[in-house]
Amino acid sequence: MSATLRSVDGIILQFCGASQVVCNVCPKRDNALRTMHSKHALKHVATGLHQRRARAWTSMGSKAPSQQQQRRQRRHHEAERLPSPADGDSDFTSSAMDVDNAVNIPDTHGPDHEVVPVADLWDAISSSPFYQVNETCDLYEELQSALASGEQLFSLPLAPASEEIGFDDETESDFGIELLDDYTLTASHDTNLNCPVSPDNPNYPWPSKAHYITALLFSSPRLPFSEAQKKAVLSWAKELGAHDVPSLYTLNRLQDSVRTLVGNPTEKITARSGNIFYLNDVGKAIAKDYANPLTRLAMQDYPEDGGKGMSQVFNGEKMLFELPSPPAAKVDGEIYFVNELLQDASGDYFIPERFFLASYSSTNDGADKQLHALGRADGFIVSDEREMIPTSNFRRSFREISANDDELACGLTESSHKYAKLMPNPLRAKSQGCMVYSVPLIIFMDDISGNISKQWNKHHAVYMSNANLPREMLEKEFCIRFVTSSPHAAPMEMMSAMQESIRKAAESGVFTWDCKHEEEVMLELYGLFLGGDNPMQAEECSHAGLHCNYFCRTCEVGGTKEYKESDEGYKSIFVPGKLRTPVGTAEEIRTQFSSALASGATEKIKKSVASSGVKDTITGYILETVVELGKKLRKRGAGVQAKPEAEVKAILEKQLEDLLRGSALDDAINPLLGVEGFNVHQDTPTEILHTVLLGVVKYFWGQSVYLLEKAKLLDVFQMRLDSIEKAGLNAPCLNAEYICHYKGGLIGKHFKSLAQVMPFLIQDLLPRTVLDGWTCIGELVVYVWHTEIDDIEIYLTKLSRTIEDFLNVTAKCAPSILISKPKFHFLVHLPAYIQRFGPAILFSTERYESFNHVFWLACIHSNRQGPSQDTCKVFARQDIIKHIATGGYWFDSVRKKWIRAGDAVLSYLDEHPEQARLLGIHIREPPVTGTSQLKKVTIDDGRPVAAKPVMWTATRCATLELSQPVCNAQYREGISLILGNGEKASLEGHIIFNDPSTSHTAIGRIREILISNSNKAVNHVAVQKFAFGPVLHPSLHLPTLELTEHEVVISPQEIVCIVNIQHDCVKSQCTDTSQCRLHQERTETTRTKSVIQHKSSPFYLLNAYSIHNYAQIRSVIPPSLRETSLRVNNAAEVRLAAARQIREKKAAKKSGEMPDTELSSALRDVIADVPAVFDRPAVKRTKKTQKAKEKAPPPQPGPRQPTITQAAASSSSHLPAPMPSHLPSLHLPATVPSQMQHSLIPPYSAPHSHNSLQSPPMVLTWQSSPALGPPRPLPSHPWPSNSPSMVPPMYPGQYGVPPYQYSLGPALPNPSYPPPPLHPPHSRQLPYGLPLQPSVPVMTSHIWHPQAPHSN
């Protein structure tokens, strides 16, 4: 230390602060003097550069700071000051930003300072015991007193001599390496991290704008930076000459200080199994929602009675009736709690039990919602009947009433004494006079890979949302909170930690700032429901999963396979069973633990799981350990006698106690089973993404594609999908080439788009039962994606009817799939969940699945050493940055008050929307209604220019008897315009508009858009009207439209929305195709694709299966056309027949023979059309039989004889098979004799000798070629032949000729000639292996392809 003091001479080297030293002779860095820690002074003095500079400086005879040095110091201090407000930045005090290098050297030429020669400087200093700091003090006396008192002189102990001492000062970033003067990569304006930032700083809690915007950039959820990338960005900024660029070290230190200031939510969790992971505190996360104006102002604090309608989660029955009521209401500044006596305006006493919002005004439908209380009137006897009064009638609270001892001296009767025990509410004292709100939470858990590569690196992640927010806010990424994740901990261990965090928050109370009412409030948290896919929800319910006998987590439906195949068991799948309860599940888990202590534990537990479907994963390892130990203890060895059963049981009980770590069994099992007010079996709602889109829609898609491929119709399907009208669907995922090429790898958005258009594509390609299934799916998807429900009773009735009809159709297509795929049964519970939680879209997991990408980005930017800790810290930093930048408050423990960021921070996002988008905040300007895009024409040089204005008399609108608005007015023609809802309506597009002639909404086609040449706004729109047909389409169940000659002129404000309308190609006989060029890389290529050339006919179909604008579509449909007919009218008979068919096939498979003829005939009498069109089991084929079949020559069919063609796995395999006794039929074309129109094909089963690996479908084709020779291929048409099982019934009086007559092609028989008679049923084998034609109709009863894509 003495050598260091000698090196600091006071002229060349000077102290600046307690431990910093400034050098006055060495080169500057960005207009700042070089500073260093005092312990590095000796090393710096020994450098050659310093010595040369010191000699040059002293050779000038300078014994005091020269004028040049003083100017240098003045320039340095001026550079450290921020620009004035006029320069673009607000000024702030020096305490706001103290920079390490900002040296404040006292003026040695002042009148109060003595000039001391350099040689005598040390003597002058050492001769005096005084040192000028802020005031004169005796350092010697202070040191003596400190030593005498035993006070530690140094804040940190000195390192041992043997220990290597590193550089811990960030300012000395060159580590002793001399750099040139113009070296700018080292940060020269780092902040003094030990000095707090003043709240008066406009950039608070950051010291400068540079620190704030850099921290904001590096905390973007969807644009994360690795450490290397951060360093590269900072270096890039410095190289370009940016000012005040902070160092990465400073940013990290500032982030730590900001996290400490706002509150660090991350905490370490150690599970019972020993797994370690980290969790962000739930209470601190929700507290930010109330302290942030962006979320708080959108919240609704009370459940709402929506009357007949429902649109939000707080309209559901659980929040409205089942959960504990919001605990308090504030009226005129006084807080009223539930279960406390109060007095209303009439002077009567009242005990409120529930608070809720409602609008019961009969005179004004648009009246504002008022807060009401449901409770009991109170006199001497508390009434058993509950009453409802508005809270605005409250006058005196329990606090005021209890202050008067004489007021309730009489007390209550004995029967009403139970109510007195509830008063006062415990929350009154706990809240310390603050208002109390309850916060329901939506919790989601999922598994996701944390790797960049395809290697699966499984992480479980838990997110949550504040259910007091409306649906529009819940969908935003900004409102999703990350809670925890881990690649090691089990899902239920993480859920247990989540529940414990909620319990602690509810027990202690979460105090936060309510920025809406500007007061401190207390929050009570509780879980509302758990979202997730079906396997995850089953685990949360302690359920064994989708593959067990009792496959439903909600009810006890199911049983053994034999029971489910019985008539009674099969029918039970169509209705909800006995509901499961948490008490019953917990009791079954305790029974399994009791069985684990007894002999034969393994089989007993298996039987318990098989007979109940209960399996607790959180205690699974405990159960397995006890069972395995019991096996070892009871095992008899050679010459070793087995231990007595009592001793074994005692050992197992001791082992169980050790594994439980002293806690009770009820505390170790699934904690969700014991949460008050939470029924885990009823609070894990059917999730529509995985159950509908990735469930039943995916199953039907996979098997429909299988049928199309076997019939060689997939190319026709792709051409139709390319030609489908997409306007008005809002479904961008209808890329035909991608969908057909990657048909087995589609995701939810593809199935959501396909469900809205599939009936138009397959109406004459697939059997009628399959078409019925897709029309049911179209209705179902529209219903479950409702965002608002006008009448909940009518809605649930229609939804239940659609689900039941869909299940009945599925039973006809594939009876066994209802047993093997539980997701079909899960649909039965969907109406109850909607009534409980609101529209199904509220408990859809699409928003959380999208947020998985943000979590994945956080994972891949981790060093993988502490994945759970890293992700928690990353999301905690992001949440804190978002909270501060959007105006959130936090509690300052130093100043003891709630504060927020500085003005510059709060206004930054408004001025920079691109930064707001990185935080998940999309600031969009509302569209201007009536703006349009001008029509353009191509001039000689190929450039497109706006078309010239046209006179009013030359427009289409002028011919529609519209008075000329302005004499000689000119207009420009437009090609599109913006509607009031922000949609874009194009020329020749279809819209719903308010018809001025009828005062009702109508559907029309835009024929002309006129834009005023003066104000550039759309003034007139010419619309050609559509007329509705009298009945629904018989097979598509959709309203039919006919384009009329009636046209009207409307204003843009009268257009309601765009709508999707499809051309009726079957009725219009659209058989022509055309070639259009493909576009790649935004360039037209020479490659072409085939599209349908629609004929100019007036027949169209309104797509009521469109999700977009579904409410407007339904309102425009006439009331007589809004109800669709049931696809299956004899539901009970179909279900019994389907169960019977399953048993037949099972028996036939065991015996290796075809099902009994009489049994099949009875079955066919019940199930109309083609039964089990998907249900085709896989049968193994022996090599010996296969070779024999390949050698058998196929017989040639006679002329014009229908042939059953079977598509084999290989085109060279021709397999003979017995001719079925009846040929299939649904609605046969005119070319098929009438005697064949009511016969059915029996369920196909290969003979016992034909154990084929894959039974191909049977196909009915027509052979018009001679008896010998190869069959003539049929030409390909966009609308191929309607098979006997595919042609829909014709419109009565609308189709002059059957539509299939014009779509079968010239190779098909002419309907004008009588067809040749078909051979009667016989046992002679018919040939297989004839090539399938593009227009071949598929006729099969067993086409359940085991390799078709499906999911469970």
Side-chain angles (χ1 to χ4, degrees):
M1 181 62 68
S2 60
T4 301
L5 292 176
R6 286 195 298 270
S7 64
V8 182
D9 56 5
I11 299 178
I12 296 179
L13 294 180
Q14 289 180 314
F15 279 107
C16 58
S19 60
Q20 296 293 315
V21 176
V22 61
C23 180
N24 292 318
V25 298
C26 285
K28 299 180 295 181
R29 295 182 180 177
D30 298 337
N31 295 326
L33 298 176
R34 175 165 298 189
T35 61
M36 67 204 76
H37 196 275
S38 59
K39 63 183 179 181
H40 302 313
L42 286 176
K43 183 179 294 186
H44 177 74
V45 170
T47 60
L49 179 63
H50 174 80
Q51 292 177 359
R52 290 193 300 272
R53 291 279 182 170
R55 283 195 299 269
W57 193 76
T58 55
S59 64
M60 297 170 58
S62 300
K63 294 186 170 39
S66 63
Q67 295 181 358
Q68 179 182 1
Q69 183 69 11
Q70 294 177 20
R71 287 195 301 268
R72 176 188 297 179
Q73 294 176 12
R74 284 195 296 271
R75 286 197 304 270
H76 167 69
H77 293 304
E78 291 172 357
E80 286 302 308
R81 289 199 301 268
L82 290 178
S84 63
D87 295 332
D89 247 336
S90 300
D91 193 12
F92 53 88
T93 60
S94 60
S95 61
M97 183 180 74
D98 294 331
V99 183
D100 289 347
N101 293 333
V103 183
N104 186 11
I105 303 177
D107 187 5
T108 57
H109 291 277
D112 298 333
H113 294 274
E114 179 183 1
V115 179
V116 182
V118 176
D120 302 334
L121 181 61
W122 176 249
D123 296 334
I125 296 175
S126 59
S127 61
S128 174
F130 298 100
Y131 181 75
Q132 186 75 18
V133 185
N134 291 328
E135 59 182 4
T136 303
C137 60
D138 194 332
L139 298 178
Y140 181 79
E141 291 183 1
E142 287 189 3
L143 290 173
Q144 290 292 335
S145 60
L147 291 174
S149 62
E151 180 183 351
Q152 187 175 0
L153 299 181
F154 302 98
S155 59
L156 294 175
L158 296 177
S162 60
E163 183 176 314
E164 182 179 357
I165 302 176
F167 296 103
D168 57 356
D169 183 23
E170 182 66 13
T171 59
E172 188 68 11
S173 56
D174 56 4
F175 296 99
I177 303 175
E178 293 296 334
L179 303 174
L180 300 178
D181 291 354
D182 58 351
Y183 185 78
T184 60
L185 292 181
T186 303
S188 59
H189 290 277
D190 283 349
T191 304
N192 186 355
L193 303 176
N194 297 322
C195 182
V197 182
S198 171
D200 298 330
N201 187 341
N203 298 291
Y204 179 79
W206 287 274
S208 69
K209 183 178 180 180
H211 291 87
Y212 164 56
I213 61 176
T214 308
L216 187 66
L217 176 64
F218 288 166
S219 300
S220 304
R222 288 190 176 267
L223 189 64
F225 291 84
S226 65
E227 294 298 309
Q229 290 169 337
K230 292 178 183 178
K231 294 177 181 177
V233 170
L234 295 176
S235 298
W236 168 81
K238 294 174 184 177
E239 286 292 337
L240 294 182
H243 297 288
D244 301 332
V245 178
S247 67
L248 185 58
Y249 173 81
T250 303
L251 286 174
N252 293 334
R253 288 286 302 273
L254 282 174
Q255 184 57 47
D256 293 340
S257 63
V258 171
R259 182 171 62 243
T260 304
L261 184 67
V262 178
N264 185 9
T266 305
E267 57 186 39
K268 182 179 178 181
I269 304 295
T270 302
R272 190 185 302 274
S273 63
N275 289 324
I276 296 176
F277 58 97
Y278 286 78
L279 176 141
N280 286 344
D281 187 79
V282 175
K284 293 181 180 179
I286 297 300
K288 292 183 176 66
D289 285 345
Y290 278 79
N292 192 305
L294 198 62
T295 52
R296 179 64 181 107
L297 299 180
M299 285 186 199
Q300 181 162 304
D301 300 321
Y302 298 92
E304 178 187 347
D305 181 7
K308 293 183 178 180
M310 177 182 289
S311 61
Q312 304 293 345
V313 69
F314 39 74
N315 298 136
E317 287 189 352
K318 180 173 182 181
M319 287 189 64
L320 196 58
F321 300 114
E322 296 184 19
L323 282 176
S325 169
K330 198 169 189 179
V331 181
D332 297 331
E334 184 67 28
I335 301 176
Y336 297 85
F337 285 90
V338 294
N339 300 323
E340 281 190 353
L341 188 68
L342 60 86
Q343 192 175 27
D344 60 14
S346 64
D348 296 334
Y349 294 101
F350 184 78
I351 299 179
E353 294 180 350
R354 305 194 71 85
F355 292 114
F356 63 96
L357 290 169
S359 177
Y360 297 123
S361 174
S362 58
T363 58
N364 186 9
D365 295 337
D368 293 335
K369 298 185 289 287
Q370 293 183 352
L371 185 62
H372 289 72
L374 181 67
R376 305 178 190 273
D378 182 28
F380 292 102
I381 301 176
V382 179
S383 174
D384 291 334
E385 296 182 359
R386 296 198 291 182
E387 301 178 2
M388 183 176 60
I389 64 173
T391 57
S392 57
N393 291 346
F394 292 175
R395 290 297 180 266
R396 298 176 64 208
S397 68
F398 178 78
R399 180 185 62 83
E400 297 171 310
I401 295 174
S402 60
N404 186 359
D405 297 334
D406 298 333
E407 186 167 356
L408 295 178
C410 296
L412 301 174
T413 61
E414 187 64 28
S415 61
S416 304
H417 190 64
K418 59 181 180 180
Y419 298 101
K421 294 181 179 179
L422 302 176
M423 294 181 269
N425 193 311
L427 291 176
R428 182 175 289 277
K430 182 179 178 181
S431 62
Q432 303 173 13
C434 296
M435 180 61 186
V436 183
Y437 295 104
S438 58
V439 186
L441 302 178
I442 301 173
I443 304 169
F444 171 83
M445 181 161 58
D446 194 15
D447 56 342
I448 182 176
S449 177
N451 275 7
I452 301 178
S453 64
K454 294 182 179 180
Q455 179 183 349
W456 183 251
N457 181 18
K458 189 174 184 179
H459 287 65
H460 286 99
V462 180
Y463 316 136
M464 69 176 179
S465 298
N466 184 346
N468 279 339
L469 292 169
R471 178 190 58 83
E472 296 79 6
M473 291 292 290
L474 289 175
E475 298 293 336
K476 297 184 182 297
E477 180 184 298
F478 182 88
C479 299
I480 299 176
R481 302 284 186 181
F482 172 87
V483 180
T484 182
S485 69
S486 175
H488 312 295
M492 290 311 299
E493 290 179 338
M494 301 167 61
M495 187 58 67
S496 178
M498 169 84 179
Q499 175 57 34
E500 181 64 17
S501 180
I502 296 175
R503 187 194 63 80
K504 289 181 179 179
E507 181 179 328
S508 60
V510 179
F511 289 88
T512 185
W513 182 255
D514 184 357
C515 61
K516 181 179 180 180
H517 299 105
E518 297 185 351
E519 62 179 358
E520 193 174 74
V521 297
M522 192 184 85
L523 307 179
E524 277 203 320
L525 312 182
Y526 61 88
L528 182 62
F529 63 81
L530 302 176
D533 54 22
N534 291 292
M536 184 61 67
Q537 288 181 323
E539 187 169 352
E540 292 166 347
C541 295
S542 294
H543 185 259
L546 279 65
H547 299 289
C548 65
N549 290 337
Y550 295 84
F551 49 77
C552 183
R553 65 180 179 273
T554 304
C555 68
E556 297 179 359
V557 70
T560 62
K561 188 175 182 181
E562 290 74 15
Y563 174 76
K564 288 182 285 188
E565 292 173 353
S566 66
D567 293 343
E568 181 182 359
Y570 193 80
K571 289 189 298 183
S572 67
I573 299 176
F574 293 80
V575 294
K578 179 183 177 182
L579 295 179
R580 295 179 183 267
T581 62
V583 175
T585 302
E587 183 61 31
E588 186 65 29
I589 295 173
R590 286 191 288 268
T591 302
Q592 293 177 5
F593 271 90
S594 299
S595 302
L597 302 177
S599 179
T602 302
E603 292 301 322
K604 290 180 180 178
I605 294 175
K606 285 183 179 179
K607 290 180 179 179
S608 174
V609 174
S611 61
S612 65
V614 175
K615 182 180 180 181
D616 188 35
T617 58
I618 195 170
T619 56
Y621 76 97
I622 299 178
L623 204 63
E624 292 177 2
T625 304
V626 174
V627 171
E628 292 299 323
L629 179 60
K631 288 181 180 180
K632 294 180 181 179
L633 294 177
R634 294 185 178 96
K635 187 176 181 180
R636 297 182 181 181
V640 179
Q641 187 176 4
K643 293 184 179 180
E645 185 63 26
E647 183 180 352
V648 172
K649 190 173 182 179
I651 296 175
L652 293 180
E653 289 177 350
K654 180 64 170 59
Q655 178 68 20
L656 178 60
E657 183 180 351
D658 294 341
L659 291 173
L660 294 176
R661 297 187 179 182
S663 61
L665 179 61
D666 290 345
D667 298 332
I669 63 176
N670 186 352
L672 300 177
L673 298 174
V675 178
E676 183 180 359
F678 188 83
N679 186 335
V680 68
H681 296 292
Q682 297 183 25
D683 294 337
T684 49
T686 300
E687 202 281 312
I688 57 178
L689 171 62
H690 296 89
T691 304
V692 178
L693 296 182
L694 299 178
V696 297
V697 178
K698 186 175 182 179
Y699 301 152
F700 263 78
W701 164 254
Q703 307 316 315
S704 298
V705 168
Y706 175 78
L707 296 178
L708 292 170
E709 285 185 319
K710 289 304 178 183
K712 306 296 184 183
L713 296 174
L714 190 60
D715 292 340
V716 177
F717 174 84
Q718 180 175 344
M719 180 170 54
R720 292 188 182 183
L721 186 56
D722 260 325
S723 307
I724 204 77
E725 179 62 44
K726 301 178 179 64
L729 280 177
N730 194 22
C733 303
L734 282 175
N735 187 331
E737 183 179 3
Y738 180 91
I739 288 176
C740 294
H741 186 269
Y742 299 101
K743 50 188 175 294
L746 304 183
I747 59 177
K749 62 181 181 180
H750 298 113
F751 295 122
K752 189 175 181 181
S753 300
L754 284 170
Q756 303 175 60
V757 297
M758 277 295 287
F760 303 102
L761 307 176
I762 64 168
Q763 59 174 314
D764 57 348
L765 297 183
L766 296 181
R768 176 63 181 271
T769 48
V770 182
L771 178 61
D772 287 342
W774 278 108
T775 56
C776 286
I777 287 174
E779 290 185 14
L780 177 63
V781 168
V782 172
Y783 277 127
V784 298
W785 260 269
H786 267 42
T787 56
E788 294 183 5
I789 301 172
D790 296 330
D791 192 315
I792 186 63
E793 293 185 2
I794 296 177
Y795 169 82
L796 292 180
T797 301
K798 293 181 178 179
L799 175 61
S800 301
R801 180 178 180 267
T802 302
I803 291 174
E804 182 180 7
D805 200 22
F806 173 66
L807 295 180
N808 292 331
V809 172
T810 306
K812 295 175 64 177
C813 290
S816 63
I817 195 176
L818 295 176
I819 297 176
S820 60
K821 300 296 182 182
K823 291 183 180 180
F824 287 93
H825 169 76
F826 293 165
L827 295 176
V828 176
H829 297 290
L830 190 56
Y833 283 126
I834 292 175
Q835 191 169 14
R836 186 174 176 83
F837 299 113
I841 196 172
L842 289 169
F843 44 84
S844 173
T845 60
E846 290 181 79
R847 55 181 175 270
Y848 301 111
E849 296 285 351
S850 177
F851 192 77
N852 278 341
H853 179 70
V854 179
F855 171 77
W856 176 78
L857 290 174
C859 286
I860 64 175
H861 286 87
S862 167
N863 59 10
R864 315 298 174 89
Q865 302 303 311
S868 179
Q869 184 179 14
D870 290 346
T871 51
C872 283
K873 287 184 176 181
V874 166
F875 281 102
R877 180 176 69 248
Q878 293 174 359
D879 285 348
I880 290 173
I881 295 291
K882 290 191 297 185
H883 181 70
I884 297 175
T886 53
Y889 290 81
W890 66 91
F891 185 74
D892 191 336
S893 57
V894 177
R895 296 168 181 83
K896 304 298 181 184
K897 66 177 183 178
W898 295 87
I899 58 176
R900 64 194 306 195
D903 295 337
V905 173
L906 299 179
S907 61
Y908 184 78
L909 292 183
D910 293 335
E911 301 168 357
H912 301 82
E914 68 281 356
Q915 291 286 349
R917 283 193 293 269
L918 293 179
L919 296 181
I921 306 170
H922 297 277
I923 303 175
R924 298 176 181 175
E925 296 182 359
V928 180
T929 306
T931 56
S932 178
Q933 184 177 357
L934 292 175
K935 179 182 178 180
K936 294 185 178 181
V937 296
T938 305
I939 58 179
D940 296 338
D941 59 357
R943 291 185 296 109
V945 296
K948 295 181 179 180
V950 295
M951 299 298 297
W952 167 255
T953 55
T955 64
R956 190 187 192 103
C957 293
T959 63
L960 301 177
E961 299 180 359
L962 184 69
S963 59
Q964 183 174 351
V966 180
C967 183
N968 299 325
Q970 289 186 338
Y971 293 88
R972 291 184 180 271
E973 296 179 337
I975 60 174
S976 66
L977 76 156
I978 303 299
L979 307 183
N981 58 359
E983 295 177 338
K984 180 180 179 181
S986 301
L987 193 65
E988 301 299 327
H990 302 111
I991 57 172
I992 297 177
F993 67 98
N994 295 314
D995 189 355
S997 61
T998 62
S999 300
H1000 293 90
T1001 56
I1003 299 177
R1005 174 184 291 175
I1006 299 178
R1007 304 310 300 267
E1008 187 178 52
I1009 301 174
L1010 294 183
I1011 307 171
S1012 173
N1013 198 31
S1014 58
N1015 57 12
K1016 309 303 181 182
V1018 177
N1019 286 359
H1020 307 289
V1021 180
V1023 178
Q1024 187 176 3
K1025 294 180 61 175
F1026 283 92
F1028 282 93
V1031 295
L1032 295 176
H1033 192 284
S1035 59
L1036 299 182
H1037 305 277
L1038 293 173
T1040 59
L1041 298 173
E1042 184 174 353
L1043 189 63
T1044 67
E1045 298 297 330
H1046 184 204
E1047 296 186 20
V1048 294
V1049 177
I1050 61 175
S1051 65
Q1053 290 72 23
E1054 291 176 309
I1055 302 178
V1056 178
C1057 64
I1058 59 176
V1059 65
N1060 182 251
I1061 293 177
Q1062 300 294 337
H1063 191 251
D1064 192 348
C1065 292
V1066 173
K1067 185 175 180 179
S1068 304
Q1069 306 155 16
C1070 300
T1071 58
D1072 298 333
T1073 62
S1074 61
Q1075 300 294 320
C1076 68
R1077 293 195 174 187
L1078 295 175
H1079 284 76
Q1080 298 175 355
E1081 304 293 334
R1082 293 179 292 182
T1083 305
E1084 188 179 86
T1085 66
T1086 57
R1087 298 189 60 188
T1088 60
K1089 64 179 179 180
S1090 298
V1091 293
I1092 296 174
Q1093 191 71 31
H1094 294 294
K1095 290 188 175 181
S1096 57
S1097 66
F1099 304 117
Y1100 291 83
L1101 295 168
L1102 174 61
N1103 187 2
Y1105 303 139
S1106 172
I1107 299 176
H1108 190 56
N1109 294 327
Y1110 69 89
Q1112 290 79 4
I1113 293 174
R1114 183 165 184 82
S1115 65
V1116 78
I1117 298 175
S1120 60
L1121 302 178
R1122 294 178 184 175
E1123 298 297 330
T1124 60
S1125 60
L1126 290 173
R1127 281 73 168 176
V1128 178
N1129 294 313
N1130 54 341
E1133 297 176 353
V1134 167
R1135 295 172 187 177
L1136 292 175
R1140 192 174 183 181
Q1141 182 180 352
I1142 294 175
R1143 297 194 297 271
E1144 282 185 16
K1145 292 174 60 178
K1146 184 176 181 180
K1149 184 178 180 181
K1150 288 183 179 180
S1151 62
E1153 299 177 356
M1154 295 291 292
D1156 183 69
T1157 305
E1158 296 181 359
L1159 203 60
S1160 299
S1161 177
L1163 177 64
R1164 292 193 300 272
D1165 292 338
V1166 175
I1167 302 183
D1169 306 332
V1170 179
V1173 70
F1174 290 162
D1175 200 11
R1176 187 183 63 83
V1179 183
K1180 293 184 179 180
R1181 176 187 302 168
T1182 58
K1183 295 182 179 180
K1184 181 177 180 181
T1185 306
Q1186 183 177 357
K1187 292 180 180 179
K1189 293 175 182 177
E1190 292 175 354
K1191 294 179 181 179
Q1196 299 295 333
R1200 299 182 59 79
Q1201 175 178 335
T1203 304
I1204 300 297
T1205 304
Q1206 186 164 3
S1210 173
S1211 60
S1212 61
S1213 301
H1214 306 296
L1215 307 179
M1219 176 66 183
S1221 58
H1222 298 281
L1223 290 177
S1225 172
L1226 266 178
H1227 300 280
L1228 298 179
T1231 55
V1232 180
S1234 60
Q1235 65 266 24
M1236 296 302 301
Q1237 295 188 13
H1238 299 286
S1239 59
L1240 294 171
I1241 191 168
Y1244 174 79
S1245 178
H1248 184 66
S1249 60
H1250 296 171
N1251 295 325
S1252 59
L1253 178 63
Q1254 174 179 313
S1255 301
M1258 287 173 286
V1259 180
L1260 179 63
T1261 63
W1262 287 99
Q1263 292 292 339
S1264 56
S1265 58
L1268 299 177
R1272 186 177 68 179
L1274 302 180
S1276 175
H1277 291 278
W1279 301 94
S1281 66
N1282 290 288
S1283 71
S1285 62
M1286 302 167 194
V1287 179
M1290 294 178 291
Y1291 292 88
Q1294 294 187 15
Y1295 286 111
V1297 291
Y1300 48 80
Q1301 178 179 355
Y1302 295 91
S1303 60
L1304 295 179
L1308 295 176
N1310 191 340
S1312 62
Y1313 296 97
L1318 297 179
H1319 291 282
H1322 54 83
S1323 60
R1324 182 176 63 87
Q1325 295 181 349
L1326 290 181
Y1328 288 76
L1330 294 177
L1332 290 172
Q1333 307 300 337
S1335 58
V1336 167
V1338 178
M1339 306 292 295
T1340 178
S1341 62
H1342 309 278
I1343 315 180
W1344 183 258
H1345 189 13
Q1347 296 179 353
H1350 65 279
S1351 67
N1352 51 11

